[in-house]
Amino acid sequence: EVELIYPELKIPAKIKLGNDSTTATAEGMPAAMGKFKPYSELMAGKFYKNDSENVIIVTTELLRKLNIVVLSKEDTIRKEVQLKNKKKRYLPVDSVIGKKVVLSTVSLGGASAMPMMGMMGMSGMSNSTTAPSGLGEIKYEFIIGGIVKTEGFSRQALGGNIFIPIKKAQSIPSVG
């Protein structure tokens, strides 16, 4: 009765949208997952159609980490005015779809980098192409294709904050 099986592929990353950036976990996922909840009921946009697209799905949780709160079509202007956090940007949910994001990962040519990542954590990332320890930062551009609503699902059920077509994810070198 198994419909789909795929390898667990999680990549520690830094994501940048506009002038804001945060750390996150990118998860490789096949396009076939788009027919299962919560991916079949996105808040906005569409799940990617094939495993090689340059499109990602993001969670509302990730957007909040990027200082963005998306407002559904049902939200009213009055509700938007009542929101108190001045640092956050309140945007219509559809306005995030199609935006370009930059995903950065840390990579090293050999497998010996894995233990280093555990000690360094995400602070090992830098804006340069080569970190002092010999780790390199590699940047990838993606387009936001959809937003999955985080509320109502446990963190473990969703896994990451960013969902990448599995073949694209497999091509991203990472120490994670």
Side-chain angles (χ1 to χ4, degrees):
E1 295 182 21
V2 175
E3 285 191 51
L4 180 65
I5 188 166
Y6 61 94
E8 182 177 77
L9 179 57
K10 295 186 179 183
I11 304 165
K14 180 171 74 174
I15 188 156
K16 184 173 181 180
L17 175 62
N19 293 324
D20 293 310
S21 63
T22 189
T23 57
T25 300
E27 184 174 343
M29 186 176 286
M33 283 298 289
K35 66 181 182 179
F36 300 103
K37 287 184 181 181
Y39 313 107
S40 61
E41 299 175 352
L42 297 179
M43 186 176 184
K46 295 179 181 173
F47 204 81
Y48 41 86
K49 298 291 182 203
N50 69 61
D51 292 336
S52 300
E53 276 189 78
N54 216 31
V55 172
I56 62 172
I57 306 300
V58 297
T59 63
T60 53
E61 178 183 350
L62 175 77
L63 292 174
R64 280 193 295 276
K65 288 172 68 176
L66 290 166
N67 296 315
I68 295 172
V69 175
V70 289
L71 301 170
S72 68
K73 294 172 185 171
E74 294 81 31
D75 289 326
T76 64
I77 294 173
R78 187 175 348 150
K79 184 175 181 181
E80 183 179 348
V81 170
Q82 290 173 354
L83 298 170
K84 297 193 178 355
N85 189 337
K86 303 287 188 226
K87 284 186 172 183
K88 302 277 186 200
R89 290 177 287 160
Y90 297 91
L91 302 172
V93 69
D94 291 335
S95 69
V96 179
I97 303 301
K99 296 286 184 194
K100 182 177 78 170
V101 294
V102 177
L103 184 136
S104 305
T105 63
V106 175
S107 177
L108 182 64
S112 62
M114 270 194 205
M116 285 172 93
M117 189 61 184
M119 294 185 302
M120 289 176 43
M122 295 303 289
S123 63
M125 292 187 187
S126 71
N127 290 330
S128 64
T129 54
T130 305
S133 64
L135 294 175
E137 182 180 50
I138 303 172
K139 296 180 181 184
Y140 300 88
E141 288 186 0
F142 289 95
I143 300 297
I144 296 176
I147 301 169
V148 64
K149 191 171 184 177
T150 312
E151 294 77 21
F153 289 91
S154 75
R155 178 121 170 83
Q156 291 159 333
L158 286 176
N161 299 111
I162 305 164
F163 304 99
I164 302 174
I166 191 79
K167 286 187 180 178
K168 280 284 190 187
Q170 289 169 333
S171 71
I172 297 174
S174 171
V175 295

